Amino acid sequence: MASDRFHCPNSSSSSFILVGVPGLEAFHTWLGILFCSWYIVTLVGNGVVLLAIGLDNSLRSPMHCFLGMLAVIDLVMVTSTVPKMLSIFWLNSTETGYVACFVQMFLVHSATVEESGVLLAMAFDRYVAICHPLKYETVLNRQTMVQIGLAILGRALLFMAPLTWMVTHLSYCRSCVVPHSYCEHVAVAKLACGDHRPSSLYSVVWSSLVAGMDVAFIAVSYGMIIKAAVEKKSCRKAFSTCGCHICVMLLYYIPGMVSIYIQAFDSSVSEWAQVLLADLYLTLPTMLNPIIYSMRTKQIRQAVLKVVFSRKVHA
């Protein structure tokens, strides 16, 4: 059985031990306060966006659908990691079952691929809306939206299925202590007795391809948008919006790729810095996304105000 492959000292069942942020145990309480604050802001921000989109019938455009998808992915990503992180930081509840660990691993890493796909779809949406406004409804019709959504989900599953298979079929007969605050796949795979390098190499190659291709297409899209914004006075307001979007994407892609390369290859970067970078990569963009992508959108702001004030009136 799979559970027979795990031999963890001082544990009554097959499980992994998550240590939080190695070397910063004295600051776990303060780190918990920080991540808890971000988690609350993320839940409220993305929850309000989903509530506004769900209740306001005028928010049914492809862009708003993508914003809703982004909010759902962000909520899945932080909810699959932050509660366990807080239990480690505040309650010293470090043990996690191997099935729960692999489920968390699957959710976290598939969500990162899905988020990249949504960011690419949003860039394409803005490109069509600004550069080819007359073709917008024809290009991004309901059938196309369904196909884009399925493609985003399918690509994430295509990436994670082989990686999950490789990691779960390793033999874990060494220490069960994972020097991380969540089940990051490289940190877990390094505990295996056998050769974990194929899974690490697969992750690096696939992550580089996904991020590289998405960033390239996003850069081309926003390059054309900026060109249109310069040439057409009616599109100049798109320039400032694109600037904010680009900042968020840089915050998402750069720390993510740096974290992947540091985790996969031996590095002189201290262990606590590696773990903190990975934690920030998962939590900070999810908190900023509803602020940058949604609250700066006039229709979303109006819908949120409408929902809030209508609730107060009925109360």
Side-chain angles (χ1 to χ4, degrees), residues 125-192:
D125 172 273
R126 291 300 84 197
Y127 162 73
V128 177
I130 294 173
C131 298
H132 303 284
L134 298 180
K135 299 180 180 179
Y136 183 76
E137 293 185 0
T138 303
V139 174
L140 288 170
N141 53 42
R142 180 170 296 182
Q143 181 180 357
T144 304
M145 290 296 297
V146 172
Q147 292 174 345
I148 291 175
L150 292 176
I152 291 172
L153 179 61
R155 187 178 68 162
L157 294 177
L158 182 64
F159 166 69
M160 280 306 300
L163 181 61
T164 303
W165 183 88
M166 285 188 285
V167 176
T168 54
H169 280 73
L170 291 171
S171 295
Y172 295 90
C173 53
R174 297 177 182 171
S175 171
C176 65
V177 178
V178 182
H180 218 291
S181 53
Y182 67 92
C183 289
E184 200 277 332
H185 74 277
V186 175
V188 173
K190 286 181 178 179
L191 302 179

Side-chain angles (χ1 to χ4, degrees), residues 18 72-85 100-116 156 159-160 163-164 180-186 207 252 259-260 278-283 286:
L18 297 168
V72 171
I73 293 170
D74 284 344
L75 289 175
V76 170
M77 189 182 299
V78 295
T79 302
S80 61
T81 54
V82 175
K84 182 58 182 178
M85 289 166 56
C101 184
F102 292 133
V103 169
Q104 183 190 58
M105 183 188 304
F106 181 87
L107 291 175
V108 170
H109 294 297
S110 60
T112 59
V113 178
E114 291 167 0
E115 179 145 346
S116 182
F159 166 69
M160 280 306 300
L163 181 61
T164 303
H180 218 291
S181 53
Y182 67 92
C183 289
E184 200 277 332
H185 74 277
V186 175
S207 299
Y252 175 77
S259 176
I260 289 170
D279 292 344
L280 293 175
Y281 160 63
L282 292 182
T283 54
T286 60

Side-chain angles (χ1 to χ4, degrees), residues 21-303:
V21 182
L24 295 183
E25 288 82 1
F27 300 95
H28 273 184
T29 300
W30 297 105
L31 289 173
I33 294 173
L34 176 65
F35 284 109
C36 182
S37 302
W38 288 355
Y39 184 49
I40 292 173
V41 173
T42 300
L43 292 180
V44 173
N46 288 286
V48 168
V49 169
L50 290 174
L51 183 64
I53 293 175
L55 296 180
D56 195 325
N57 292 328
S58 65
L59 302 180
R60 293 294 183 270
S61 70
M63 185 61 178
H64 296 125
C65 291
F66 290 137
L67 288 173
M69 292 171 60
L70 187 67
V72 171
I73 293 170
D74 284 344
L75 289 175
V76 170
M77 189 182 299
V78 295
T79 302
S80 61
T81 54
V82 175
K84 182 58 182 178
M85 289 166 56
L86 296 181
S87 70
I88 296 171
F89 294 151
W90 287 343
L91 305 176
N92 198 31
S93 177
T94 58
E95 186 172 341
T96 182
Y98 69 91
V99 173
C101 184
F102 292 133
V103 169
Q104 183 190 58
M105 183 188 304
F106 181 87
L107 291 175
V108 170
H109 294 297
S110 60
T112 59
V113 178
E114 291 167 0
E115 179 145 346
S116 182
V118 173
L119 293 177
L120 174 59
M122 292 171 67
F124 176 70
D125 172 273
R126 291 300 84 197
Y127 162 73
V128 177
I130 294 173
C131 298
H132 303 284
L134 298 180
K135 299 180 180 179
Y136 183 76
E137 293 185 0
T138 303
V139 174
L140 288 170
N141 53 42
R142 180 170 296 182
Q143 181 180 357
T144 304
M145 290 296 297
V146 172
Q147 292 174 345
I148 291 175
L150 292 176
I152 291 172
L153 179 61
R155 187 178 68 162
L157 294 177
L158 182 64
F159 166 69
M160 280 306 300
L163 181 61
T164 303
W165 183 88
M166 285 188 285
V167 176
T168 54
H169 280 73
L170 291 171
S171 295
Y172 295 90
C173 53
R174 297 177 182 171
S175 171
C176 65
V177 178
V178 182
H180 218 291
S181 53
Y182 67 92
C183 289
E184 200 277 332
H185 74 277
V186 175
V188 173
K190 286 181 178 179
L191 302 179
C193 303
D195 187 5
H196 69 276
R197 287 176 296 180
S199 63
S200 298
L201 181 61
Y202 172 87
S203 174
V204 171
V205 171
W206 252 96
S207 299
S208 300
L209 286 174
V210 169
M213 292 175 59
D214 288 357
V215 169
F217 285 121
I218 290 171
V220 171
S221 298
Y222 280 126
M224 293 181 177
I225 291 172
I226 292 172
K227 181 181 178 182
V230 172
E231 294 176 350
K232 301 177 183 180
K233 293 183 180 180
S234 60
C235 293
R236 288 187 182 277
K237 63 180 182 179
F239 188 84
S240 61
T241 302
C242 290
C244 295
H245 292 186
I246 291 171
C247 289
V248 172
M249 283 186 288
L250 290 176
L251 185 64
Y252 175 77
Y253 284 109
I254 293 178
M257 293 309 300
V258 171
S259 176
I260 289 170
Y261 287 126
I262 289 177
Q263 291 281 353
F265 304 107
D266 291 335
S267 173
S268 59
V269 179
S270 60
E271 204 168 45
W272 67 266
Q274 296 181 30
V275 174
L276 269 185
L277 179 62
D279 292 344
L280 293 175
Y281 160 63
L282 292 182
T283 54
L284 192 56
T286 60
M287 180 184 68
L288 295 178
N289 282 340
I291 299 173
I292 300 299
Y293 281 104
S294 301
M295 297 310 172
R296 284 182 59 87
T297 304
K298 184 178 179 180
Q299 295 93 330
I300 295 287
R301 291 201 308 270
Q302 291 176 342

